[in-house]
Amino acid sequence: MIAIVDYGMGNLHSVSKAVERLGREARVTSSREEILAADGVILPGVGAFGDAMRNLRETGLDAVVRESAAAGQPLLGICLGMQLLFAESEEHGTHEGLGLLPGRVVRFRGDYKVPHMGWNELNFEQPSHPLFEGLAPGHVYFVHSYHALPERREDLLATADYHQPVTAIVGRDNVSGMQFHPEKSGDLGVSLLRRFVETAEGGKA
């Protein structure tokens, strides 16, 4: 079972349907017991970083997500959910994140269109990573005005080009994140989501 964390901000329906189309059970839940009993955990997110962290704290789900990561459960953050994995964000002020990955989230700066919206090709920074086994780089769908700057180069698994290299996939041990929406990103997005689910099926790390 894949638990999809329901903290009031997220593309819950589309993510759960994408997991179900892979032939797996998806459960949208805010229950600590269900989340910690799951084979894998997905943290979705749409909206502002500060609002998301406030909702997580008010429901106690910030502690549950950290507990899940510490227990070795495969954890995937999607879009805003990926940004929440980092230490802090500058979106509408400075906000503390979950701190599961070192780094910060900043706004795009430059004389170009923001938000970054549309299909961009992934560049696999670590092509031998198990997540990419058997896959070729392709296009995935982004919608975001802020992007993550990981402190550790080894946490950066894939980038996309939007006037600069943009963090697209991050990962360390059992914690990973995708800035784009895999459930809206065609065959490559589905394949990457399948890789995560297969990791979860392999048992907790």
Side-chain angles (χ1 to χ4, degrees):
M1 184 268 287
I2 303 297
I4 300 170
V5 182
D6 181 6
Y7 61 102
M9 295 180 66
N11 44 333
L12 304 173
H13 180 75
S14 61
V15 173
S16 64
K17 288 301 180 186
V19 172
E20 289 171 357
R21 282 195 294 271
L22 295 173
R24 278 72 173 188
E25 179 186 0
R27 189 170 301 170
V28 176
T29 180
S30 58
S31 162
R32 174 183 178 274
E33 289 72 22
E34 286 188 333
I35 292 170
L36 295 180
D39 297 306
V41 179
I42 295 178
L43 180 66
V46 175
F49 190 104
D51 293 340
M53 283 304 304
R54 184 179 64 247
N55 284 13
L56 285 168
R57 286 192 297 269
E58 288 178 351
T59 57
L61 288 169
D62 60 333
V64 176
V65 173
R66 290 188 181 104
E67 187 176 355
S68 166
Q73 285 177 289
L75 170 64
L76 173 65
I78 294 178
C79 196
L80 175 61
M82 185 200 88
Q83 296 180 5
L84 297 173
L85 301 176
F86 287 90
E88 67 174 26
S89 171
E90 67 174 27
E91 185 175 359
H92 306 306
T94 300
H95 301 279
E96 181 181 346
L98 292 169
L100 298 175
L101 295 173
R104 62 195 309 264
V105 177
V106 301
R107 184 173 173 82
F108 283 110
R109 294 182 175 90
D111 187 20
Y112 49 81
K113 183 180 178 182
V114 177
H116 169 209
M117 182 182 299
W119 294 82
N120 289 81
E121 187 171 9
L122 290 181
N123 305 302
F124 293 167
E125 301 293 329
Q126 300 186 39
S128 62
H129 192 278
L131 183 67
F132 305 137
E133 184 178 354
L135 300 182
H139 288 73
V140 293
Y141 187 73
F142 292 86
V143 182
H144 61 125
S145 299
Y146 291 78
H147 62 106
L149 300 175
E151 281 186 13
R152 298 181 294 207
R153 179 73 186 179
E154 59 267 32
D155 293 346
L156 183 62
L157 303 185
T159 59
D161 182 48
Y162 189 66
H163 305 279
Q164 61 189 295
V166 175
T167 299
I169 303 177
V170 293
R172 172 171 283 264
D173 300 328
N174 57 304
V175 176
S176 57
M178 301 178 187
Q179 177 62 68
F180 54 92
H181 291 272
E183 77 282 6
K184 298 178 181 179
S185 293
D187 290 343
L188 179 56
V190 170
S191 295
L192 289 166
L193 190 59
R194 180 181 290 111
R195 288 285 190 278
F196 168 75
V197 171
E198 289 172 347
T199 299
E201 286 181 334
K204 299 175 185 178

